[in-house]
Amino acid sequence: MLRLVLALLLTLSAPGLAAAQGAMTAVKAKDLVRASLVAEREALVPGGTVMLGLHMAMKPGWHVYWRNPGDSGLPPEMAWRLPEGFAVGAVQWPVPERIPVQTLMNFGYEGAVTLLVPLTVPESAKVGGTVRLAGTLSYLVCEEICIPGSAELSLDLPVASSAEPASGQAALFARARAALPEAAPGPHRTTRAGDRLVLHLDRPGLAGVSGAAFFPYAEGALDNAAPQDLAVDEAGLRLTLTPGDAKAAPEALAGVLAFTEDGTRRAYALGPEPAPAPTASAPAAPEAPPAPAGEETLTLWSAAGLALLGGLLLNLMPCVFPVLSIKVLSLVRQAGESATRVRLHGLAYTAGVLASFLGLAGLLIALKAGGAGIGWGFQLQSPVVVALLAYGLFAMGLSLSGVVHLGGGIAGLGDGLTRRAGYQGSFFTGVLATLVATPCTAPFMGAAVGFALTQSPLTALTIFASLGLGLALPFLMLTLFPQALRLLPRPGAWMDVLKGALAFPVYATVAWLVWVLAQQVGPDGLLAGLTGLVLVALAAWAWERARHAGRLGTGLSRAAALVALAASLGLVAILDGDRATARTALAQGEEAFTQARLDALRAEGRTVFVDMTAAWCITCQVNERTVIARAGVQAAFRAGQVVYLKGDWTNQNPEITRLLERYGRSGVPLYLVYRGTSEAQVLPQLLTEGIVLAAIGQKDVAAAQ
């Protein structure tokens, strides 16, 4: 099993990634989207403003996305390269269409769309010169499949004291402005009706209204695919909507309301628009959110250094301990071997770690290039991967307990590989150490990984290699100086006792993985996972019986073991079926995170503590139980009227992924504190009570406890 996983990972590492990117380039060359940059005026006037247009024409049947893409997708984004002093404003988004895709509902544009962007020209622009406006437009274009695309756009315009309208562009800009939503013609409000929300637009005299649709600005605010029930009376229009989370439904909805009145399509912008991300002209990069204390703007080498430190600290994380503890026994066995052989074991272990990190990094980069909203630890968002990892560790624990001897016949299973005497055992110990390390995010690691995933593939792979080297370094250094092995006890009967004792942290890890599985799937899926563990135990028992049976008994026992193992793997296939119903229960005082709820609280000037977590994230669970749940912190939350928003990333959640990426993170944990309307303060990944209390401004409350 691990051989197969490793082969897949290595295929998707550096060489595989290059091939994947080549295939994507070939697909994009088919002109699914023709993009261009146009200007409304023939020239630029110093101190003036000119409207630019990002025009995208799609092939029939294909679409791109609105600012809130709905249940899936990504909006177009322009990375501008402008001369010094030039600046662009917020994109003006036309009214989108509802685009159903099976059970999902997306918001976007088919045919063609023009995104208007105002450009401010500095007073210092020299009349008579020529200015190049350029940038990279990134987008996701979808039909039955989705293809990520990009286009290098540029436009050369002269600088003049006055400017005439650009010839041939008047109709395009007129259509673009006509497609924008208008200001609301009357008061509007949101009320509750049981578990649903009712959007009221006060406009007497409406008649012949049909085809109403509301497009929220915030992702996750609504169940996008749910029916939107229209009613019209003398007071105006009512649209009954289903919130994305009934328990954390927003108090007010902000977005675009569109409907047809007597054959005329109308659209109104209701509520405040989200604050746009600041965009600066080149050479300055777009302004980033404030980093945690002690973090500065990263470069390749500083990020690689942080990754190395993070990898070193991963060795102290509880998720890595069960595998590394097994390696203690192999070190004792190697104490009498030659120095060269011991060093080769260390190099083999390091190669296993590096190959696994590069494989995971290659897969992660390729999936993100394909438009997937994922990050570090993404594989543990799959119940299938969680179950398979639990099965493998359970088999390893049974071997340590003496239930089964995993030899060459089924050497692909965890312990049979990690405890083999050859270099292959050391290599696969590195593989397994990497796989079980992914639920942890060590200090320094989050910033490095987040930076890596915004850079080129080569830079990203370099940083992930540094992370892997940090994880492998302690064991590698011990083997490079084999005289240190003399400090270990000599082999003896105590090793069997230690081997049996080491089974229990492995079983504890299996129990934790089953708990993670319970957060991801419903009761039927959890029963399938537990039944799979029973079948793994049956397979191990039957295989061991084969060692002591006759020829016929050996064949029957091994056949029974393989059937049981195949049945356990077959059960894995149904684990995705019940995922939609799985939810992590919220404790008293917690609210489920949605961007709409966060925006509403910030508009009220409230203090908000945002906790981005996942059931499979060990670091998250430790912080929540040892810091956030402490009486002093909870009392400070109540005293300061702090709203605690908890974002659960156990399963994929594009809205949470978007917030993580905004703050330069590719995984959890992420802790943010918003006080009033100011930008968030990003807290360290390992919390203390003092850090939290200082961030929310309630240190005195804890002192009084």
Side-chain angles (χ1 to χ4, degrees):
M1 185 184 304
L2 283 174
R3 290 177 189 269
L4 177 60
V5 171
L6 181 63
L8 291 172
L9 293 177
L10 293 178
T11 300
L12 286 167
S13 61
L17 180 59
Q21 289 181 324
M24 289 178 188
T25 302
V27 173
K28 286 186 287 186
K30 296 180 180 179
D31 286 334
L32 296 175
V33 176
R34 297 193 307 275
S36 58
L37 176 62
V38 294
E40 192 173 20
R41 296 281 175 176
E42 294 279 7
L44 304 175
V45 177
T49 300
V50 63
M51 189 64 73
L52 303 179
L54 298 171
H55 183 70
M56 306 174 71
M58 286 70 71
K59 275 196 169 183
W62 293 81
H63 62 269
V64 295
Y65 292 93
W66 186 52
R67 63 191 306 163
N68 170 9
D71 289 329
S72 64
L74 292 169
E77 184 175 358
M78 183 72 165
W80 291 95
R81 297 187 299 275
L82 304 175
E84 184 176 356
F86 287 75
V88 292
V91 173
Q92 298 177 16
W93 295 88
V95 180
E97 306 171 48
R98 287 166 62 89
I99 304 174
V101 181
Q102 297 182 6
T103 60
L104 305 178
M105 182 63 70
N106 295 333
F107 308 144
Y109 310 101
E110 296 178 323
V113 64
T114 302
L115 307 180
L116 299 180
V117 184
L119 172 75
T120 301
V121 183
E123 294 279 2
S124 58
K126 186 177 180 181
V127 173
T130 300
V131 170
R132 165 156 290 194
L133 311 173
T136 302
L137 177 66
S138 302
Y139 55 85
L140 189 67
V141 58
C142 298
E143 188 192 35
E144 293 181 355
I145 62 171
C146 290
I147 309 285
S150 64
E152 294 295 330
L153 305 180
S154 64
L155 180 65
D156 293 327
L157 290 175
V159 180
S161 57
S162 63
E164 298 295 325
S167 60
Q169 302 295 353
L172 183 145
F173 279 90
R175 288 194 300 270
R177 286 192 169 89
L180 298 175
E182 305 174 36
H188 56 87
R189 62 192 182 282
T190 305
T191 61
R192 295 294 296 263
D195 289 338
R196 304 189 73 189
L197 299 172
V198 181
L199 179 65
H200 302 260
L201 176 65
D202 295 340
R203 186 185 164 191
L206 281 174
V209 175
S210 63
F214 181 73
F215 303 93
Y217 291 138
E219 295 182 38
L222 297 179
D223 180 346
N224 300 314
Q228 298 190 355
D229 302 324
L230 171 66
V232 179
D233 56 23
E234 295 180 356
L237 176 151
R238 297 193 311 277
L239 198 61
T240 303
L241 310 166
T242 303
D245 187 339
K247 294 182 179 179
E251 296 180 2
L253 288 171
V256 174
L257 173 65
F259 57 87
T260 299
E261 181 185 12
D262 291 331
T264 301
R265 190 66 173 165
R266 305 195 183 281
Y268 302 111
L270 308 181
E273 292 193 28
T279 306
S281 60
E287 184 180 345
E295 289 187 15
E296 301 175 354
T297 302
L298 294 180
T299 64
L300 168 61
W301 298 115
S302 62
L306 290 178
L308 184 69
L309 289 174
L312 283 168
L313 292 174
L314 273 180
N315 289 280
L316 304 178
M317 296 293 171
C319 34
V320 183
F321 173 75
V323 174
L324 293 186
S325 60
I326 296 167
K327 207 60 187 171
V328 173
L329 293 176
S330 66
L331 281 177
V332 173
R333 293 191 189 98
Q334 296 163 16
E337 297 182 4
S338 68
T340 299
R341 184 170 175 81
V342 171
R343 292 188 181 102
L344 289 175
H345 275 290
L347 292 173
Y349 170 79
T350 303
V353 172
L354 291 177
S356 302
F357 265 100
L358 290 175
L360 284 171
L363 180 59
L364 177 57
I365 295 166
L367 290 174
K368 286 184 74 68
I374 57 176
W376 176 253
F378 70 96
Q379 68 276 21
L380 290 172
Q381 292 178 327
S382 166
V384 172
V385 174
V386 173
L388 290 176
L389 192 54
Y391 291 177
L393 289 175
F394 187 51
M396 181 191 303
L398 292 175
S399 178
L400 290 170
S401 295
V403 174
V404 61
H405 173 73
L406 297 179
I410 50 174
L413 287 172
D415 184 56
L417 280 171
T418 59
R419 296 199 299 120
R420 294 180 72 175
Y423 305 127
Q424 189 181 33
S426 294
F427 180 87
F428 277 92
T429 300
V431 172
L432 195 57
T434 302
L435 291 178
V436 298
T438 51
C440 291
T441 302
F444 310 112
M445 180 178 156
V449 173
F451 173 80
L453 294 179
T454 64
Q455 306 302 307
S456 68
L458 181 60
T459 298
L461 290 173
T462 301
I463 294 171
F464 275 97
S466 297
L467 184 59
L469 180 61
L471 177 63
L473 197 56
F475 184 80
L476 177 63
M477 295 302 294
L478 188 61
T479 57
L480 290 179
F481 299 96
Q483 57 269 27
L485 297 178
R486 298 171 186 169
L487 302 176
L488 298 175
R490 293 184 177 182
W494 66 271
M495 293 177 61
D496 287 333
V497 177
L498 179 59
K499 184 185 75 169
L502 289 176
F504 292 96
V506 175
Y507 292 140
T509 303
V510 173
W512 165 68
L513 288 169
V514 171
W515 176 79
V516 171
L517 191 64
Q519 314 304 310
Q520 295 177 315
V521 299
D524 291 343
L526 180 59
L527 177 61
L530 292 172
T531 303
L533 287 177
V534 175
L535 290 171
V536 169
L538 175 60
W541 175 79
W543 195 271
E544 185 64 17
R545 294 298 302 169
R547 297 179 62 240
H548 306 290
R551 179 175 298 179
L552 179 61
T554 297
L556 291 175
S557 295
R558 290 191 173 180
L562 292 175
V563 169
L565 185 60
S568 71
L569 297 178
L571 287 171
V572 169
I574 70 173
L575 289 179
D576 271 336
D578 206 24
R579 289 183 68 178
T581 61
R583 290 183 181 271
T584 299
L586 293 173
Q588 184 177 4
E590 299 175 356
E591 293 186 37
F593 168 83
T594 66
Q595 188 64 50
R597 179 61 173 151
L598 176 59
D599 292 342
L601 291 169
R602 293 190 65 193
E604 296 172 10
R606 301 285 298 277
T607 299
V608 186
F609 181 86
V610 176
D611 173 8
M612 292 300 170
T613 182
W616 42 260
C617 171
I618 291 287
T619 310
C620 306
Q621 302 303 320
V622 170
N623 283 334
E624 288 172 21
R625 285 160 173 75
T626 63
V627 177
I628 299 174
R630 289 186 66 130
V633 173
Q634 292 299 310
F637 279 179
R638 291 190 295 271
Q641 297 184 329
V642 178
V643 181
Y644 179 14
L645 295 185
K646 190 171 185 178
D648 183 11
W649 210 47
T650 301
N651 293 323
Q652 289 188 24
N653 183 317
E655 190 172 28
I656 292 177
T657 304
R658 192 74 54 85
L659 186 70
L660 292 172
E661 291 175 343
R662 182 186 172 199
Y663 287 92
R665 295 290 186 265
S666 67
V668 291
L670 174 66
Y671 304 105
L672 305 172
V673 173
Y674 295 88
R675 298 178 68 177
T677 57
S678 61
E679 186 52 80
Q681 177 184 354
V682 184
L683 304 188
Q685 291 164 322
L686 288 181
L687 296 179
T688 65
E689 188 172 353
I691 289 173
V692 175
L693 295 175
I696 64 175
Q698 294 293 317
K699 258 191 169 180
D700 294 339
V701 173
Q705 293 295 311

